Amino acid sequence: MDKLKILHMYPAMLDLYGDSGNVEILGYRCKMRGIELEVHKHNLGDKETDFTDFDIIYLGGGADFEQQLLADDLLSLKDSIKAAYDNGVYFLMICGGYQLMGQYYKDSNGEKITGLGLFDYYTVASTDKRCRCIGNIVIETETDGGKYKVIGFENHGGQTKNVSSPFGRVLAGNGNEFECSAEGYTERNVTATYLHGPLLSKNPKLADHIISYCMERKTGEKYVPAPINDKLEEDCRRQLLERLLTK
């Protein structure tokens, strides 16, 4: 059986809105293709993690308090995490995880949390704690050579700026900033987004894109995932897209 390895970072602290479900969904969709997804965890204070040993590194969402607690730990791992990124390991990052990989995050109290600096973007929260981007969101992104509508839920006060390569174009909702046309950040081996839900439950094609990338990187050969019966997911997607995009 083929095997992929995923590192779930700070699972007890970064799990807003069921974000840990993304790991379960990747595991299920791998299993349906005869691939074992071996899940490892990196917790606060762990010092022996070799980030280059994984196929996927995953960070979920967390509130300001959780981000402050783990920021120093994350910074202590910078060289190893960057080595994994440079080596082509796939990074999937949601909300707080997205913010922490940038230059910095300044919270609503003006406290500045230094980010890992892996990417050039930075995030500044409104000083009005009630001023947040909240609600369902739809973006359009490029996946495997075609356009794909990605559905999720956003709830963030942070406004992420200086994004050179957005994950997608906003069709409904806010995005990186209030009423922004762009959402998230992407590279060949990076998906960073504010979309909770969990993200992959509503967007199975995105999950398969990640699996395909990892299998091709591992084997050096083109990987085409075997079809899965996604009728329920696609029926749900049609209803959601009709509801959210019809004015």
Side-chain angles (χ1 to χ4, degrees):
M1 175 181 279
D2 292 317
K3 181 170 74 174
L4 295 175
K5 294 173 65 176
I6 184 170
L7 181 65
H8 189 174
M9 296 189 67
Y10 312 110
M13 303 175 73
L14 299 179
D15 187 28
L16 284 180
Y17 307 110
D19 284 339
S20 291
N22 288 317
V23 176
E24 297 181 34
I25 292 159
L26 286 169
Y28 167 76
R29 298 188 75 82
C30 280
K31 182 179 179 181
M32 296 299 288
R33 278 66 178 257
I35 305 168
E36 177 189 356
L37 184 69
E38 188 175 287
V39 180
H40 296 253
K41 297 178 181 180
H42 174 88
N43 295 304
L44 196 66
D46 290 348
K47 299 300 183 184
E48 304 302 321
T49 305
D50 180 1
F51 292 87
T52 62
D53 191 41
F54 295 91
D55 300 290
I56 306 170
I57 292 176
Y58 174 68
L59 292 92
D64 291 359
F65 178 69
E66 285 79 14
Q67 292 188 55
Q68 290 166 347
L69 285 178
L70 61 84
D72 287 343
D73 186 79
L74 190 66
L75 282 172
S76 73
L77 306 167
K78 180 175 180 176
D79 290 345
S80 184
I81 292 174
K82 186 177 187 306
Y85 162 73
D86 290 341
N87 198 35
V89 174
Y90 200 97
F91 280 69
L92 176 60
M93 306 172 293
I94 311 296
C95 198
Y98 167 25
Q99 295 170 344
L100 286 167
M101 288 294 179
Q103 297 297 307
Y104 63 84
Y105 171 63
K106 185 179 288 187
D107 68 18
S108 58
N109 296 316
E111 293 289 330
K112 191 174 182 179
I113 302 171
T114 302
L116 203 67
L118 203 59
F119 309 111
D120 290 336
Y121 59 77
Y122 59 92
T123 304
V124 178
S126 169
T127 55
D128 182 353
K129 292 180 173 61
R130 297 171 298 179
C131 193
R132 303 182 64 83
C133 300
I134 302 178
N136 293 309
I137 177 171
V138 181
I139 68 172
E140 187 173 70
T141 189
E142 293 280 342
T143 302
D144 300 324
K147 295 186 183 300
Y148 184 62
K149 291 181 175 63
V150 178
I151 307 167
F153 175 80
E154 61 178 342
N155 184 354
H156 56 101
Q159 309 294 290
T160 299
K161 306 171 185 293
N162 198 37
V163 176
S164 59
S165 179
F167 176 41
R169 177 174 65 92
V170 177
L171 303 180
N174 287 285
N176 286 327
E177 303 181 60
F178 293 112
E179 299 181 352
C180 184
S181 62
E183 201 284 327
Y185 178 84
T186 191
E187 291 183 16
R188 182 178 64 93
N189 60 321
V190 176
T191 296
T193 178
Y194 277 112
L195 275 62
H196 298 281
L199 170 72
L200 300 181
S201 64
K202 299 183 180 74
N203 306 288
K205 188 174 180 180
L206 180 58
D208 289 351
H209 167 77
I210 295 170
I211 293 168
S212 297
Y213 169 89
C214 293
M215 288 298 295
E216 290 178 10
R217 174 176 174 267
K218 193 178 190 73
T219 66
E221 300 177 356
K222 178 71 174 175
Y223 179 82
V224 179
I228 294 176
N229 183 357
D230 287 329
K231 184 179 184 305
L232 177 60
E233 289 86 347
E234 292 304 326
D235 286 347
C236 291
R237 279 177 53 81
R238 277 192 291 272
Q239 290 190 35
L240 284 169
L241 290 171
E242 182 177 353
R243 182 191 309 165
L244 299 175
L245 298 181
T246 302
K247 296 183 179 181

